[in-house]
Amino acid sequence: MKRRRFKGAALWNSRDGSVNVFLIGITAALFLCMAVLIDFARIAAFERLAESAVYSGVRSALSAYDGTLYERYGLFARGGTDSGEIFNRVVTAAMKPENTDRGLKLLRTDMTSGEVSPGDTLGLHAVLERQILEEMKYKAPIDFTLELAERFQVISPGLKEAAHAADTMKRLQELFDSRQRHLEEALRNQKEAAAAAASSGMAALIPYPSGSGGGNTAAAAASGYGNYVAWVRAEAERRAREAEWQRQTEELLRQWQAACGGGASGTDNGCASPPVIPPPDLGPSYAAEIAAYERSARETAAGLMQAARTAADKHARAIAAARQAVDAAAADNERMADMLRTAGQSGAGNPAAAEDGTGQAAGEIRSILEDASRLVLDAGWFEDYRRELAVQDAAAAGLQPQAGLFESAAAQALASPDTRNASALEAAVDKLFRGYQAYASQYSGADGAGSGNVIAARAQAIAELNAADNQRQEFERQSETKRGEAAKLLLQIAQLPYDEQAAKEFERVRKRYEASLALNEASSSPADSSDAGLNDESGEYAKNAAGEAAGLFGLLESVTMDLRDELYLNEYAASRFEYFRPQNLSGLISQKSSGTDGSAGGTNGGSAGNLLVSISSQEVEYILYGIHRPAGNIAAAYGEIFAVRTAIRLMEGLVECRKFGHPLVVFAAAVAYSLEHALMDMTELIHTGKTKLSKWLKIDITYRDYLRLFLLIHGGKAEKLARVAALIEHRTGYRLSGMPTSLTGRADVSVNLWFLPGVMKMLASGGILQGKVVGGRYESTVAAGSSY
């Protein structure tokens, strides 16, 4: 069957016009692609234009800053014309072409809405600190280095050495005094031991000295022993004659009884009465003398033994206490030696070059520590003392066997009265006497209070160690007087008069300070106390002041590297805020010199010319210490200044007072020198507002310089920033938490599409474009932020 042919097959299979069709297809595809790319390019240009416009609008809105805040404190925060108005005007202008009547309008843009929202405020510490650092990044390091670091660093070597020497000498003085107290305690116990022997009664029973005492003595017993023997013999002979008479009488009576039958039988044979033999002449009876001698001898012997035992017991306890005291003194002495060795090995360092004014002073101060080694006693000194106590103890213990020897000799002599026992008794008494005499001359002394030769020599040796005490105590009294004057001056400053308004201002600032901390979720540490430490003993105060000052000046060497942010904040506070003028206190010095009481017992009064210590007159001091009492910050500042002046003057005093020789006297004199001249410096500061750095370095240091120095060591960064914010709010009346330093602008903008809005809408819905296509226009929301 024959297939039927398609009528248009010829046309379809014909090759005529194929190229034209192909070109038409290619051209359509190319046009579609180009249309999409053109709109893509226009959208990209539009978005870039919109971003630039919004950013310009935000920056323009930020250009309206608060003039008062900038002029007073160098800080930026939004102020002036409404930010939304500026933003909309700038964005609208930026989105419109300059010439709308000529040429092709590539972008027909439109802004439907725009708004500005504030960002971080100046009340945030991070923002406030950033602006402060930006403000001070060039000025602070230069000013601090030239005005403070270079000035104080030249005195740092000598001050470090002085602090090291003061700490060592103070501890050495304490150990020296402790050692001397223990030695004096040992001497007291040694004397008590000697007095125990003297007060035991042995001296009266021997007796000592010879010839003293009553009849009941060992010497009397020995000297009376010959009489006692004669008495015993005479009494024995008398008793023999009496016994013989009695025997004869009894014999004659028996004979009479035998002859007479026991009764009278007549008168012619002698039985009328018993015969009587007249008693013979028996001589005197010595029974009483013998009994008295024996009683005296026995009581003397027993008394000597009891006294010797009592004395030996008390003596042993006292000597044991003396040994313990000597051991404690030796331990103190060893600690002194160890401390000086350690001090020599860990000194403050090599002194700086002599031409800097303190290098030579550092070397001279170091030599004081080297000279202090002569305060340390050799170990042999204490060994000699221990042997001396042992010998004394043995000498006292030897009195007991000597008393026992006399007791034995007396018992033997009484048991066998014989002149041959007299020599043994006399020898026992002589030995006892000589033993006690030797002890008394060496230990007890003539007064029995421990003034013997050995103890007197030991007392002299201990007294020589304290030879400089009177001079040292005189300097210490002077130091205490000056310390009292300084404490009185600082108390007067702490009690400066203020009115009720000043107290209310401090209370308002306190609330603003606490609010700033709460906003930044920061904790508050206790405010630095205004206590100047003058309640300490003068030497302790000078030592602490020197140590703190040396640490502070040493901090200057690395502060620009290690504490950069703190330094910039401190310098900002010192340059932008008010400080209390020292001349305001001149009335206190005038009253002090006239001898009147300058204390101010409360508010609304006082002796300083009704001086008002408002917060506005002491802003730097408040940032430094944060005390919410009108005079507290000023008192704290002057307390620290006095401490620094004391430290510097102590360095000078250690050099100037070397002429006194004894290391502890040198230290005491240096402390007195430092307090006296520090008081003079305070007077100069109050009258002129400045002091010289030191006797050797005639560099003016102002009151403000001292405050800048103290800012390095006081308060945390959060507390300082909160105080700065509180003061700014107090002075300006602003609330920094409501003053933005950054803005975020948002604008809804659109541009017309030239080609294929449906294709662009499809691409936008696929996430290729950021905005969306509505009614032939591309719409987008553009946001940008900026800050000061």
Side-chain angles (χ1 to χ4, degrees):
M1 182 177 180
K2 191 174 183 178
R3 292 178 61 180
R4 192 174 177 178
R5 187 170 181 155
F6 178 58
K7 293 181 179 181
L11 179 62
W12 180 260
N13 293 327
S14 174
R15 296 183 178 180
D16 294 336
S18 59
V19 173
N20 293 333
V21 173
F22 178 75
L23 287 176
I24 291 172
I26 293 298
T27 300
L30 185 60
F31 174 79
L32 177 63
C33 180
M34 290 300 296
V36 171
L37 291 178
I38 289 172
D39 273 345
F40 254 109
R42 292 179 68 249
I43 290 173
F46 162 74
E47 289 180 343
R48 181 71 182 88
L49 175 64
E51 290 176 0
S52 177
V54 171
Y55 185 74
S56 297
V58 172
R59 294 297 298 170
S60 297
L62 287 175
S63 67
Y65 57 83
D66 187 276
T68 301
L69 199 61
Y70 176 73
E71 290 173 3
R72 285 189 181 182
Y73 303 105
L75 302 177
F76 289 96
R78 264 287 305 151
T81 307
D82 180 69
S83 58
E85 178 184 346
I86 297 174
F87 176 77
N88 289 330
R89 184 171 64 247
V90 171
V91 172
T92 301
M95 295 288 290
K96 297 295 183 181
E98 295 183 0
N99 298 317
T100 58
D101 298 332
R102 299 180 182 179
L104 178 64
K105 296 181 181 179
L106 295 178
L107 299 175
R108 294 182 180 273
T109 60
D110 186 25
M111 184 181 75
T112 57
S113 66
E115 62 178 4
V116 178
S117 58
D120 293 338
T121 65
L122 195 57
L124 297 176
H125 288 178
V127 175
L128 179 60
E129 182 184 13
R130 184 175 66 246
Q131 290 204 23
I132 290 174
L133 296 183
E134 187 67 24
E135 169 74 9
M136 302 302 295
K137 66 180 179 181
Y138 299 117
K139 187 176 186 301
I142 296 174
D143 289 351
F144 185 83
T145 301
L146 295 178
E147 297 175 8
L148 282 186
E150 290 186 355
R151 292 181 181 181
F152 284 105
Q153 280 179 357
V154 296
I155 206 173
S156 182
L159 196 57
K160 287 181 179 179
E161 199 64 51
H164 178 64
D167 179 65
T168 302
M169 292 303 297
K170 182 59 181 174
R171 290 187 289 130
L172 183 68
Q173 176 182 303
E174 292 171 353
L175 287 174
F176 177 87
D177 290 341
S178 176
R179 186 191 71 184
Q180 295 307 108
R181 285 193 300 269
H182 286 131
L183 289 178
E184 290 168 0
E185 180 185 357
L187 184 63
R188 280 196 307 272
N189 288 320
Q190 189 179 11
K191 289 181 177 181
E192 287 176 7
S199 63
S200 64
M202 290 187 69
L205 293 172
I206 292 176
Y208 178 84
S210 180
S212 64
N216 293 338
T217 65
S223 63
Y225 186 70
N227 293 334
Y228 168 73
V229 172
W231 293 336
V232 169
R233 288 176 178 176
E235 185 66 22
E237 292 175 357
R238 182 180 182 281
R239 289 180 179 177
R241 288 194 300 271
E242 183 180 9
E244 181 60 26
W245 172 73
Q246 289 179 349
R247 187 187 64 76
Q248 291 176 358
T249 300
E250 291 175 355
E251 180 62 28
L252 184 61
L253 181 61
R254 282 196 301 273
Q255 292 176 1
W256 176 80
Q257 290 176 344
C260 296
S265 59
T267 60
D268 56 349
N269 59 1
C271 293
S273 62
V276 176
I277 301 176
D281 185 11
L282 298 177
S285 175
Y286 295 102
E289 286 80 354
I290 291 172
Y293 176 86
E294 290 178 348
R295 183 175 61 254
S296 174
R298 289 190 177 94
E299 288 177 355
T300 299
L304 281 171
M305 279 302 298
Q306 180 61 36
R309 281 193 292 268
T310 302
D313 183 55
K314 292 182 178 179
H315 194 281
R317 289 199 299 269
I319 291 297
R323 286 196 187 100
Q324 290 180 354
V326 171
D327 291 342
D332 286 336
N333 190 73
E334 184 61 29
R335 283 193 286 271
M336 289 169 63
D338 291 341
M339 188 186 65
L340 287 175
R341 281 194 296 269
T342 303
Q345 295 170 358
S346 59
N350 295 325
E355 58 269 16
D356 68 5
T358 62
Q360 183 177 358
E364 294 183 12
I365 293 171
R366 186 178 295 109
S367 67
I368 297 175
L369 293 182
E370 296 171 356
D371 188 44
S373 60
R374 64 189 176 98
L375 299 178
V376 180
L377 299 175
D378 293 334
W381 194 95
F382 297 96
E383 289 300 322
D384 289 342
Y385 199 175
R386 292 187 183 99
R387 282 193 295 269
E388 179 182 303
L389 294 174
V391 171
Q392 179 179 348
D393 198 24
L399 296 177
Q400 188 171 354
Q402 291 169 6
L405 179 62
F406 171 76
E407 184 181 39
S408 298
Q412 179 64 27
L414 293 177
S416 303
D418 194 313
T419 54
R420 290 175 296 181
N421 292 328
S423 59
L425 186 60
E426 290 174 353
V429 172
D430 183 66
K431 187 173 183 180
L432 178 61
F433 177 82
R434 291 182 182 280
Y436 190 87
Q437 182 185 43
Y439 183 89
S441 63
Q442 291 180 336
Y443 305 108
S444 298
D447 58 359
S451 59
N453 297 334
V454 173
I455 295 181
R458 182 58 62 183
Q460 179 63 28
I462 294 174
E464 288 176 357
L465 298 175
N466 292 328
D469 263 11
N470 290 337
Q471 191 177 21
R472 174 162 68 105
Q473 289 170 3
E474 177 59 29
F475 282 123
E476 289 174 350
R477 282 191 291 271
Q478 295 177 15
S479 298
E480 288 302 301
T481 300
K482 294 301 179 183
R483 183 180 65 85
E485 293 178 10
K488 181 179 179 181
L489 173 62
L490 295 178
L491 179 61
Q492 289 176 312
I493 296 175
Q495 294 178 341
L496 286 173
Y498 58 91
D499 60 7
E500 186 178 353
Q501 180 62 29
K504 290 181 177 179
E505 285 183 353
F506 270 92
E507 180 62 21
R508 286 195 292 268
V509 169
R510 182 188 65 79
K511 292 180 179 179
R512 293 177 185 273
Y513 164 73
E514 293 175 352
S516 178
L517 288 176
L519 176 66
N520 291 273
E521 299 180 351
S523 59
S524 175
S525 59
D528 291 315
S529 172
S530 59
D531 180 15
L534 283 168
N535 292 328
D536 295 333
E537 180 267 335
S538 54
E540 183 71 16
Y541 173 77
K543 181 204 76 171
N544 293 337
E548 292 173 2
L552 175 59
F553 291 169
L555 188 65
L556 296 175
E557 299 175 0
S558 58
V559 65
T560 55
M561 294 297 295
D562 299 339
L563 300 173
R564 188 204 66 171
D565 293 356
E566 288 270 357
L567 172 64
Y568 290 5
L569 175 58
N570 296 341
E571 289 298 289
Y572 175 80
S575 63
R576 290 286 183 173
F577 292 89
E578 287 293 325
Y579 61 88
F580 192 81
R581 305 303 182 202
Q583 291 83 352
N584 292 335
L585 299 175
S586 58
L588 291 179
I589 299 300
S590 299
Q591 289 172 353
K592 182 175 179 291
S593 61
S594 63
T596 60
D597 184 8
S599 62
T603 64
N604 300 322
S607 54
N610 291 324
L611 179 66
L612 298 181
V613 284
S614 65
I615 187 69
S616 300
S617 66
Q618 51 172 308
E619 293 174 328
V620 178
E621 290 88 343
Y622 172 72
I623 295 171
L624 176 55
Y625 300 105
I627 301 172
H628 294 96
R629 297 192 308 274
N633 299 291
I634 301 172
Y638 277 88
E640 285 206 286
I641 292 174
F642 182 76
V644 169
R645 297 312 308 167
T646 299
I648 294 174
R649 293 300 193 175
L650 179 64
M651 175 189 66
E652 298 174 4
L654 288 171
V655 176
E656 296 295 324
C657 298
R658 287 192 63 207
K659 59 187 177 183
F660 293 108
H662 193 285
L664 295 182
V665 176
V666 170
F667 177 64
V671 171
Y673 175 98
S674 68
L675 292 171
E676 178 183 2
H677 285 76
L679 270 173
M680 295 168 59
D681 291 338
M682 297 299 287
T683 301
E684 180 184 1
L685 177 67
I686 289 174
H687 283 311
T688 66
K690 59 186 178 181
T691 66
K692 298 299 181 184
L693 180 56
S694 79
K695 177 181 179 179
W696 308 309
L697 299 171
K698 304 296 184 180
I699 302 173
D700 288 336
I701 304 298
T702 66
Y703 174 75
R704 177 173 171 269
D705 292 335
Y706 286 113
L707 296 181
R708 294 165 68 190
L709 192 65
F710 300 151
L711 281 165
L712 293 173
I713 58 173
H714 282 287
K717 185 165 62 175
E719 286 90 346
K720 288 181 182 177
L721 288 169
R723 292 166 194 162
V724 166
L727 289 174
I728 293 174
E729 291 182 350
H730 174 74
R731 288 291 297 271
T732 62
Y734 297 154
R735 299 295 291 181
L736 298 187
S737 59
M739 301 189 71
T741 61
S742 64
L743 295 175
T744 300
R746 186 187 66 82
D748 293 329
V749 292
S750 63
V751 63
N752 65 315
L753 296 176
W754 281 357
F755 309 104
L756 307 176
V759 175
M760 301 308 294
K761 184 176 182 179
M762 180 180 62
L763 294 176
S765 62
I768 297 177
L769 298 177
Q770 296 180 357
K772 60 182 179 178
V773 176
V774 178
R777 297 187 67 84
Y778 175 75
E779 296 180 352
S780 179
T781 299
V782 180
S786 184
S787 65
Y788 291 114

